[in-house]
Amino acid sequence: IRRLLRGTALFVATAWGMGVAEPKKLIHGLKVGMALSLVSLFYYMRPLYEGVGGNAMWSIMTVVVVFEYTVGATLSKSVNRTTGTFLAGSLGVGVHWVASQSGDHLEPIVIGISVFLLASATTFSRFIPTVKTRFDYGALIFILTFSLVSVSGYRVDKLIDMARQRVSTILIGTSLCFITSMLICPIWAGDELHNLTHRNIDKLASSLEGCIADYFKGDSCDDNSKRDSSKEIQAYKCVLNSKPTEESMANFARWEPAHGHFSFRHPWKGYLKIGSLIRNCAYCIHTMTNCTNSEMQAPEFLKRQLQKPCMELCSRTSRLLKELAIMMKTMTRSSKLDFCLQEMNFAAQELQDALRSLPIKPEPMLRPAEDINHEKPETMAASHGPPLLEVLPLVTLVSLLIETAARIEDLIGG
Amino acid sequence: IRRLLRGTALFVATAWGMGVAEPKKLIHGLKVGMALSLVSLFYYMRPLYEGVGGNAMWSIMTVVVVFEYTVGATLSKSVNRTTGTFLAGSLGVGVHWVASQSGDHLEPIVIGISVFLLASATTFSRFIPTVKTRFDYGALIFILTFSLVSVSGYRVDKLIDMARQRVSTILIGTSLCFITSMLICPIWAGDELHNLTHRNIDKLASSLEGCIADYFKGDSCDDNSKRDSSKEIQAYKCVLNSKPTEESMANFARWEPAHGHFSFRHPWKGYLKIGSLIRNCAYCIHTMTNCTNSEMQAPEFLKRQLQKPCMELCSRTSRLLKELAIMMKTMTRSSKLDFCLQEMNFAAQELQDALRSLPIKPEPMLRPAEDINHEKPETMAASHGPPLLEVLPLVTLVSLLIETAARIEDLIGG
C-alpha cells in the first residue's frame, strides 16, 4: 500500500509540475471539458434533442475523438471524419440498395462480401505513406461507417433518414470543436513548429558551448557546476529525435488559416529542411561529446595550446547560432548575421592555422635535447597522435557548422 | 484529368509494389476484413441479435478501432478499451445516481460539472509521459464512455441494462480480435522488433563498407556502380530515426504471450538499449559520410598510403557487425565473435600505427631535396594537415565501434 501511495504522490507531483511548466496543456484540458459540456446541452434542451433524434450521442463521440491539442490537428481530423463518414455513408446506402434488389437469400452474402472487400482494401491502403500521413483517420472512419451503415441497414429500415441525422450530428460536433479550439486560447501547430525550431537552434548553441567548456576546463571545477553543465550538454539530445514531431506539426500546420505572422500558405516545408540541417549539427555534436569522453586524453600542454582558438571558435559559433535563433524567432533578417558569420569563419581559419603549426612546434623544443636522433620516430609520433585524434572532430564539426549556417542562410527569407 | 489519372496509376503502382514487398501488410488487411465479416454475423443471426440488443453496433466499432497491425498492439488496445469502458461505465452510473438524488433542477448541473471536471482532468493526464505511452487510448475511451453514460442516463432509464450490454458487446468484439490476430498468420510486435534490430545492424555494416570503399575508390568506377553504392551508403539513414518505432514495438511486445523463441517476460528493454547503441554508430557513420563528401580532399599519395589499413579495418568491422547481426538473429552465442573482435582490434591498432608513421614518413623523402631547411614549416604542415583532417574521423568512428561492439557483447545473453 505504501508503494501505491508513493506512486500516486509521484504521479500527482509530475502532473502538477507539468501543469505549471506548460499551462497550455492545462488550458487544453479545460477546453475539452468545456466543449463536452456544451455538447451535452443537446441532450438537456428538449427541442434540439428531438431535432437530431437519439443520434445526439454521435456529437459527443465526435467531440471526444476529434478535439486535438493543436488547431491544425483538430481541423485535419474533423475534415477526415466528415469526408470519411459522408463517402462511406453514401457508398453504404448504395450497397444496401444493390443488396436489397438481389433477393432475401443473397442479401447478407452481398453485404458480407462488400464489407470484406472494402475493409481489406482500405486497411491495406492505410499502410501507403501518403494515406498514412494525411488520411489515416479518415480511412478508419470510412471502414467504420461503411460497415455500420451497410450492416445495420439490414435491420434499420429508415436508413437514409439515419444517415442524414448521423451526418448532421457530426457536423454539429465538428463545428463546436472548430469554435472552441480556434476562439479560446488557440494553440496553433504552426506556432509550435516555429517555437520548436528556434528553441532547437538555441539548444544546439548551449550544448556546443557547454561541451567545449567542459572539455577544456577538465577537473578544475566542482561537482555542482559540472552537473549543471552536463545538463546543458544533454540539451541537444532532444534535437536528435525531433523528426517525427516536426513532420506531424508541419502536416497539421498546412490546415491552419492565417494567424499571427503566418499567412495561409506559409512555406512549412522549409521548417522540415531547417530541421534536418539542425539535426545534422546535433549528430556532429553527439559524435564530438563521444570523443571528449573517450579514455584517450591529450597531454595537458597540447590541450592548453589549442584551448584559446577552440574556445574562440566555439563562442563565435554559438553566437552565430543564437543570432540565427533570434532571427528565426522574430522572422527578420538581422544585419548582425553576416558579421557573425565572418567572425566565425575567421576563427575557424585561426584554429586551422593553430592545428597546422602544432605538429611542427614541439620539434624545435625536442631537437636540442635529442640531437636530431632519427631512430625514435615512434615516440614523437605518439606525442603528436593523441591530441589530433581528439581535437580534429571539433574542426570537422566546425566546418560542418559553417556549411549548415550558410545553407540556413539560403533557406530563410522571412 | 490526365494528372488525376496519372496520380491514380502511381498510387496503384505504389500499393502493388508494397503488397509484393511486404505480404504481411496485405494479410493484415484481409484479416481485418475477415474479422469484420464475422462480427456482422451477430446482425444476421437473429437469436444473437436479440441477445445483445441494438448494441451489436458496438462490436463492429470495437473491431474496427482495436484491430492493429501487431498482436501486442491489438492486445494493448483491447485491454485499454475494456478497462476504460468498465471504469467509466461504473463511475458514470454512480454519478447518475448522485445526480438523480439531488432533485430535478440540480440534476443537469451536477452532471454537467462532473463531465467538465473529469474530461478536463483526464485530457490533461494524457500528456503525462507514463499515461501517454501506455494508457493513452484507455483515457480517451474513459472520457467517451463516461460522458455518454452520464449524459444519456438523463434520458435512457434502463441505464444499468445498457451498460451491461455495452460491456458484453465490447468483450465479444475484443475476443474476436484476439482470436483473429493470434491464430491467423500472427504478426508479433516482438518478432518485428527483433527483425528490425538485426536488420539495422546489417544495414550499418553495409553502409560502413560502402562509404569507405566509395571514398577510396574515388572517381575510378563508372556511374552505375556509384549509384548502387550510394544507395547502400544511405541504408544507415533509416537507423537514425528508428527510435519511436522501437519504443512502441517494445511497449507492445510486453503484452504478448510466449511465442517462437520468446518467453512471456522476454527482456524487451534490452532491445531499446541495443537500439540506442546502434543509433550511436549510425550518427558516427553520418558524420563520416559528411567528412568524405567535403570539398577538402587529401592528396592522392597519402590516400593510397592509408587505403590498405583503412580498408582492412573497415572489412573487419563490418564482418564483426554482420556476425553480431547473425548472432542476434539466431539468438545464439557464436564463438566466431571473439575472434572477429580480436581481428578488428588488431586492425585498429595497425591503422593507428600507420597514422602515426604518416607525418614522419614524408620527411626523409623530402629532406635530401630540401637539405633540412627549417624555414618552411607551413608547407610541410599543409601537406600533413588535410589528410588527417579527413582520415581521423574514421579512426574515432572505429574506436567508437569497438566500444559499441564491446557493450553489445555485454548486453546479449540470448
Side-chain angles (χ1 to χ4, degrees), chain A residues 171-301:
Chain A
L171 282 180
I172 290 169
T174 50
S175 49
L176 207 114
C177 284
F178 282 1
I179 293 166
T180 331
S181 72
M182 290 217 281
L183 294 188
I184 305 167
C185 303
I187 300 161
W188 304 99
D191 279 356
E192 297 281 306
L193 180 62
H194 186 78
N195 290 338
L196 184 74
T197 308
H198 72 71
R199 244 182 253 142
N200 276 351
I201 298 179
D202 240 10
K203 273 177 193 161
L204 276 195
S206 56
S207 277
L208 183 66
E209 235 171 20
C211 171
I212 299 293
D214 197 57
Y215 179 60
F216 282 111
K217 261 174 204 154
D219 314 311
S220 60
C221 54
D222 56 306
D223 263 17
N224 218 357
S225 75
K226 207 154 200 179
R227 210 177 306 135
D228 272 16
S229 75
S230 86
K231 210 177 179 185
E232 209 168 57
I233 297 168
Q234 300 297 313
Y236 75 92
K237 287 221 166 160
C238 63
V239 180
L240 291 179
N241 292 306
S242 61
K243 201 189 176 192
T245 323
E246 275 170 17
E247 273 178 356
S248 68
M249 287 290 177
N251 197 24
F252 292 143
R254 299 171 60 199
W255 291 91
E256 289 174 354
H259 59 276
H261 297 289
F262 308 106
S263 56
F264 174 55
R265 288 196 171 277
H266 195 75
W268 297 114
K269 284 204 172 162
Y271 283 93
L272 294 184
K273 274 188 205 158
I274 297 172
S276 83
L277 291 175
I278 294 174
R279 240 170 290 126
N280 261 345
C281 294
Y283 297 150
C284 282
I285 293 181
H286 184 81
T287 319
M288 205 169 67
T289 53
N290 276 337
C291 294
T292 56
N293 291 331
S294 78
E295 305 114 45
M296 290 191 285
Q297 285 292 336
E300 254 334 288
F301 75 98

Side-chain angles (χ1 to χ4, degrees), chain B residues 17 21 28 73 174 215 226 232 236 255 259 276 285 294 325 341 375:
Chain B
H28 172 67
T174 49
Y215 180 60
K226 208 153 200 179
E232 209 168 59
Y236 74 92
W255 291 93
H259 60 274
S276 82
I285 294 182
S294 78
L341 187 66
E375 303 96 320

Side-chain angles (χ1 to χ4, degrees), chain B residues 341-393:
Chain B
L341 187 66
Q342 269 174 17
E343 260 192 331
M344 189 185 71
N345 285 337
F346 184 68
Q349 204 56 52
E350 260 186 353
L351 179 57
Q352 276 179 355
D353 288 348
L355 265 177
R356 269 174 197 157
S357 62
L358 197 62
I360 312 297
K361 258 186 189 165
E363 276 184 314
M365 287 189 272
L366 288 169
R367 260 180 205 172
E370 288 181 27
D371 241 18
I372 320 184
N373 49 347
H374 280 290
E375 303 96 320
K376 278 191 178 181
E378 270 85 17
T379 53
M380 260 170 64
S383 73
H384 299 351
L388 287 170
L389 242 160
E390 276 147 49
V391 174
L392 273 173

Side-chain angles (χ1 to χ4, degrees), chain A residues 356-395:
Chain A
R356 269 175 197 156
S357 61
L358 197 63
I360 310 298
K361 258 186 188 166
E363 278 184 309
M365 287 190 274
L366 288 170
R367 264 185 200 167
E370 290 180 24
D371 241 18
I372 320 184
N373 48 347
H374 281 291
E375 301 95 321
K376 280 191 178 180
E378 271 83 17
T379 53
M380 261 170 64
S383 73
H384 299 353
L388 285 169
L389 243 158
E390 275 148 49
V391 174
L392 272 172
L394 210 151
V395 180

Side-chain angles (χ1 to χ4, degrees), chain B residues 216-217 302-312:
Chain B
F216 283 111
K217 261 175 205 155
L302 282 168
K303 242 175 147 177
R304 236 171 292 135
Q305 211 167 1
L306 281 177
Q307 177 165 10
K308 220 191 127 217
C310 274
M311 298 286 269
E312 185 70 15

Side-chain angles (χ1 to χ4, degrees), chain B residues 266-332:
Chain B
H266 195 74
W268 297 114
K269 282 202 175 167
Y271 283 94
L272 294 184
K273 274 188 207 159
I274 297 173
S276 82
L277 291 175
I278 295 175
R279 239 169 291 126
N280 261 345
C281 295
Y283 297 150
C284 283
I285 294 182
H286 184 81
T287 320
M288 205 169 67
T289 52
N290 277 337
C291 294
T292 57
N293 289 331
S294 78
E295 305 113 44
M296 290 192 285
Q297 285 293 335
E300 249 343 283
F301 76 99
L302 282 168
K303 242 175 147 177
R304 236 171 292 135
Q305 211 167 1
L306 281 177
Q307 177 165 10
K308 220 191 127 217
C310 274
M311 298 286 269
E312 185 70 15
L313 177 56
C314 166
S315 72
R316 294 285 157 84
T317 311
S318 76
R319 197 189 299 163
L320 177 69
L321 280 173
K322 274 175 186 160
E323 198 59 42
L324 253 178
I326 292 171
M327 211 180 88
M328 280 289 299
K329 196 176 178 181
T330 56
M331 287 174 35
T332 48

Side-chain angles (χ1 to χ4, degrees), chain A residues 8 24 32 65 70 104 130 138 153 192 196 219 270 289 294 305 335 340 344-345 366 372 392 407:
Chain A
T8 317
K24 271 184 184 176
V32 171
V65 176
T70 58
D104 261 7
T130 17
E192 297 281 306
L196 184 74
D219 314 311
T289 53
S294 78
Q305 212 168 2
S335 56
C340 283
M344 188 184 74
N345 285 337
L366 288 170
I372 320 184
L392 272 172
R407 264 186 258 165

